[in-house]
Amino acid sequence: MSALTTFEYVNTINGERRGSANTVPVYNPATGQAFAEVPVASREDLDEAVATAGAAFVKWSATPLAERQAIVSAIGDRLEERAQEFLSLLTAEQGKPRAMAEWEVYGSIAWFREVAKQELPEQVLEDTPERKVISRHTPLGVVGAIVPWNFPILLAVWKIAPALVAGNTMIVKPSPFTPLCDLKLVELVQDLVPAGVLSAMSGDDDLGKWMTAHPGIAKIAFTGSTETGRHVMASAAGTIKRVTLELGGNDPAIVLPDVDPKKLAPPIFWAAFQNNAQFCNAAKRLYIHEDVYDAVRDELVAFAKTVVVGDGSLPETQLGPIQNKPQLEKVAEYFDDCVANGYTFALGGTIDTESEGWLVPVTLVDNPPEDSRLVTEEPFGPILPLLKWSDEADVIARANNTIWGLGATVWGNDLAAVERIGRQLEAGTVWLNEVHQYSPHQVFGGHKQSGLGAENSLHGLAEYTNHQTVCLNRVPGTVA
């Protein structure tokens, strides 16, 4: 077992380790058993964290950019030094198998290093003997990061790295279901950052509400469900906080009639089921042209039967458990709804309620109605509807007929058709013959109710700044 799984887990406020009289357990989803305890932060803890982060902001925002960049890169180095421990801890608290844990941990290391290279230089808009006008980016202040449980390290890094590079200080609130990696990462880098620049606090739902309403927090960076995002946005409105919201999705995948079903089955399977479909960008509706529907369905079933679902700590496991019991109960509702409505399962369909952990079988539903819950909602679990299409304009309309617009994919050999369809999809990221390719230099964000603002790239960095125009009249006493 990793040493990190046996450590004491604490909040970090102003560079100091803080416990709490009130603690809650953290569960291993593969066993359903508690294996760690974390403190529950109080309102007073938050007030202190905000006050000290605000005080640290004064000096940190004035620190030269190159020095801030070097520190952010060094945080990535520290994570790499402890990578093996974080891999084990991530599997223990989140449930993901080794390969998926490596994708997240080493991706997080790369993100720290690449975002540390980014900058937003001043722009000279006018420069004459009489007048100079520049446009520049200034940091916001204290930023609150609210991190979800599906990618607890990576989606924290997407917030920490640009916030610190831009000159802000940050308080990280991890999910109460997966607090350990984030708490430990922030604790382990305190020798690299000035006190108060980067804090972390675990807590219950009250902590998130206090953060979004706190007058000392200038911005909330939130990743989570659309429903919770609405509450975050409403609460932040009281103090006109800046917000970046990366919310839910109901990503369509459109399969053209010219595909090779056998070759397509593996990538389309992982498009839907990577991280056990606990993925905002998972393909959640699979539209297959009627000419190849049966063949694609059958190849998907055949491939899915080769995928091992189980405890992520076991080397043979490819898909782990549902991360938490409330989510398991939510996913079970979709199974029950399919059974109640008499939908046909091409694969799976029954959850073993006697399982030791929160395991759910890969399930494919054969052509359910377009207005079914499974098609119109976001299960966030390994149950996928397969849907037929024949008319291009119709399938585009069906794909776009959702409140969400996070991602989409199109698969086919006719590249002109693939691109033509892809350009008509209402989504922040459209992958064509690939999926889940991300980059620190590639903007990421949602359309419609999948979010507000952007992460990654210079657009994401700018989200942690104010725009400021500075106008200089070089001839005092005159009116420009």
Side-chain angles (χ1 to χ4, degrees):
M1 179 176 286
S2 161
L4 289 180
T5 62
T6 61
F7 279 4
E8 177 188 13
Y9 294 91
V10 296
N11 293 331
T12 299
I13 300 174
N14 198 31
E16 300 175 354
R17 291 163 49 92
R18 298 292 180 85
S20 170
N22 185 16
T23 65
V24 293
V26 178
Y27 294 88
N28 182 328
T31 65
Q33 301 300 309
F35 72 100
E37 293 279 333
V38 293
V40 177
S42 66
R43 187 187 288 270
E44 291 72 27
D45 290 331
L46 177 62
D47 287 341
E48 181 183 357
V50 173
T52 55
F57 170 73
V58 176
K59 186 175 181 180
W60 180 250
S61 60
T63 299
L65 172 63
E67 187 174 334
R68 298 198 304 263
Q69 290 173 318
I71 289 173
V72 169
S73 185
I75 296 174
D77 295 342
R78 179 62 53 79
L79 177 57
E80 185 175 45
E81 292 167 7
R82 308 295 291 266
Q84 294 306 312
E85 295 166 290
F86 276 98
L87 288 169
S88 296
L89 182 58
L90 181 58
T91 293
E93 71 168 334
Q94 205 285 332
K96 60 187 63 182
R98 177 74 178 202
M100 197 66 209
E102 290 179 348
W103 187 87
E104 179 167 354
V105 170
Y106 287 100
S108 298
I109 294 165
W111 244 262
F112 274 125
R113 291 170 174 166
E114 289 303 307
V115 173
K117 300 174 184 177
Q118 296 178 349
E119 62 178 295
L120 297 165
E122 293 184 353
Q123 291 181 290
V124 178
L125 306 179
E126 182 179 339
D127 192 0
T128 68
E130 295 79 24
R131 196 162 179 264
K132 183 178 182 180
V133 181
I134 64 170
S135 174
R136 67 183 193 135
H137 294 266
T138 63
L140 300 169
V142 181
V143 176
I146 301 178
V147 182
W149 49 259
N150 57 337
F151 293 95
I153 305 177
L154 185 62
L155 294 180
V157 175
W158 282 21
K159 298 161 180 57
I160 295 169
L164 298 193
V165 166
N168 303 282
T169 55
M170 174 165 274
I171 300 167
V172 177
K173 177 198 173 297
S175 165
F177 296 115
T178 55
L180 304 183
C181 285
D182 289 338
L183 290 180
K184 190 54 65 176
L185 175 62
V186 171
E187 179 193 346
L188 292 176
V189 302
Q190 288 305 303
D191 62 319
L192 303 176
V193 297
V197 168
L198 179 60
S199 298
M201 310 175 68
S202 67
D204 52 24
D205 288 343
D206 285 339
L207 179 57
K209 295 172 184 176
W210 297 335
M211 289 176 68
T212 58
H214 201 291
I217 294 179
K219 174 187 172 73
I220 294 291
F222 171 82
T223 302
S225 72
T226 295
E227 181 59 33
T228 304
R230 295 187 187 108
H231 294 298
V232 170
M233 193 172 182
S235 181
T239 51
I240 318 297
K241 280 182 177 55
R242 278 51 172 172
V243 293
T244 297
L245 305 175
E246 196 271 277
L247 307 178
N250 192 359
D251 294 14
I254 299 175
V255 176
L256 274 57
D258 61 354
V259 299
D260 180 331
K262 192 172 187 66
K263 289 182 179 180
L264 178 69
I268 205 73
F269 176 89
W270 293 115
F273 294 104
Q274 187 179 9
N275 204 40
N276 209 15
Q278 299 169 123
F279 201 155
C280 57
N281 261 150
K284 299 185 177 78
R285 295 173 289 153
L286 182 53
Y287 292 97
I288 308 168
H289 193 277
E290 62 182 9
D291 289 352
V292 290
Y293 179 89
D294 289 352
V296 170
R297 178 199 60 207
D298 294 347
E299 290 294 345
L300 268 175
V301 169
F303 181 78
K305 287 180 177 178
T306 71
V307 175
V308 178
V309 179
D311 185 335
S313 66
L314 301 177
E316 66 271 20
T317 297
Q318 294 167 277
L319 288 178
I322 295 295
Q323 197 284 319
N324 57 79
K325 192 170 184 179
Q327 184 60 28
L328 174 67
E329 293 168 352
K330 177 184 174 183
V331 172
E333 291 180 9
Y334 292 92
F335 281 72
D336 293 342
D337 184 74
C338 290
V339 171
N341 285 283
Y343 303 154
T344 300
F345 293 103
L347 180 68
T350 302
I351 298 175
D352 180 5
T353 57
E354 302 301 318
S355 171
E356 179 184 44
W358 301 320
L359 297 174
V360 173
V362 170
T363 295
L364 302 172
V365 183
D366 194 351
N367 204 32
E370 191 76 16
D371 62 354
S372 61
R373 285 189 62 192
L374 184 61
V375 176
T376 60
E377 299 179 12
E378 183 187 26
F380 221 67
I383 179 169
L384 178 70
L386 313 183
L387 304 153
K388 292 182 181 179
W389 70 275
S390 59
D391 178 79
E392 183 176 305
D394 175 66
V395 76
I396 292 169
R398 290 162 67 189
N400 289 335
N401 184 27
T402 174
I403 63 170
W404 291 290
L406 193 58
T409 59
V410 185
W411 306 81
N413 291 312
D414 182 343
L415 299 186
V418 167
E419 189 167 2
R420 180 179 67 245
I421 293 171
R423 286 180 173 272
Q424 296 177 72
L425 298 178
E426 298 167 351
T429 303
V430 178
W431 288 285
L432 307 178
N433 288 327
E434 64 174 26
V435 70
H436 300 159
Q437 300 300 308
Y438 303 93
S439 165
H441 308 294
Q442 175 181 309
V443 67
F444 179 78
H447 293 188
K448 299 187 280 189
Q449 293 188 41
S450 280
L452 184 67
E455 293 190 292
N456 303 328
S457 79
L458 295 183
H459 298 285
L461 182 60
E463 292 270 325
Y464 291 90
T465 68
N466 282 313
H467 299 276
Q468 185 180 68
T469 302
V470 180
C471 306
L472 171 65
N473 183 346
R474 286 173 163 153
V475 188
T478 65
V479 179

